[in-house]
Amino acid sequence: MGKRIVWVAGLLLLLGIPGVPQSGMRSVSGVVADQRGNTLPKAVVQIENELNQTIRSYITSADGRYHFSQVSADVDFTLRAHYRIYWSKTKRLSEFNSSVNPEINLEIPIE
């Protein structure tokens, strides 16, 4: 009987118990563009951990893309982009968003 309980408990740990949140990491990426849809290379994207207020930055590539890896799936984050003197609106990545690789595009209102 005791061996069976240990075996079942081990199996549940390996498979994960449905309905119990599993901590993990994910990536988030997107494109930074102006109001007309023109991508913005060399824009700065910031992602802020709402739990401990740490901020990471990424400079967009030539096609306006950014990518953050190793983002905790168990914490809410805010993202925003900066280009010259302009800022995008803040967008939120919720811990309840179950996507493994969410795509969050940011728009900068350049006048």
Side-chain angles (χ1 to χ4, degrees), residues 30-45 58-66 81-88 106-111:
V31 174
V32 178
D34 66 13
Q35 293 171 316
R36 294 184 187 125
N38 301 313
T39 58
L40 298 173
K42 298 185 181 176
V44 177
V45 179
Y58 188 96
I59 298 174
T60 59
S61 59
D63 60 355
R65 293 199 61 78
Y66 72 89
H82 177 255
Y83 185 77
R84 297 184 181 160
I85 62 169
Y86 304 100
W87 287 91
S88 71
L106 300 165
E107 180 182 289
I108 296 182
I110 297 177
E111 297 175 7

Side-chain angles (χ1 to χ4, degrees), residues 25-31 47 65-68 71-73 77 79 92-94 97-105:
M25 304 304 265
R26 60 182 168 178
S27 297
V28 60
S29 59
V31 174
I47 185 167
R65 293 199 61 78
Y66 72 89
H67 177 85
F68 292 100
V71 176
S72 174
F77 289 87
L79 291 105
R92 190 166 200 221
L93 173 60
S94 171
N97 178 331
S98 61
S99 177
V100 177
N101 297 304
E103 177 107 2
I104 299 177
N105 297 324

Side-chain angles (χ1 to χ4, degrees), residues 16-23:
I17 302 169
V20 176
Q22 302 291 315
S23 64

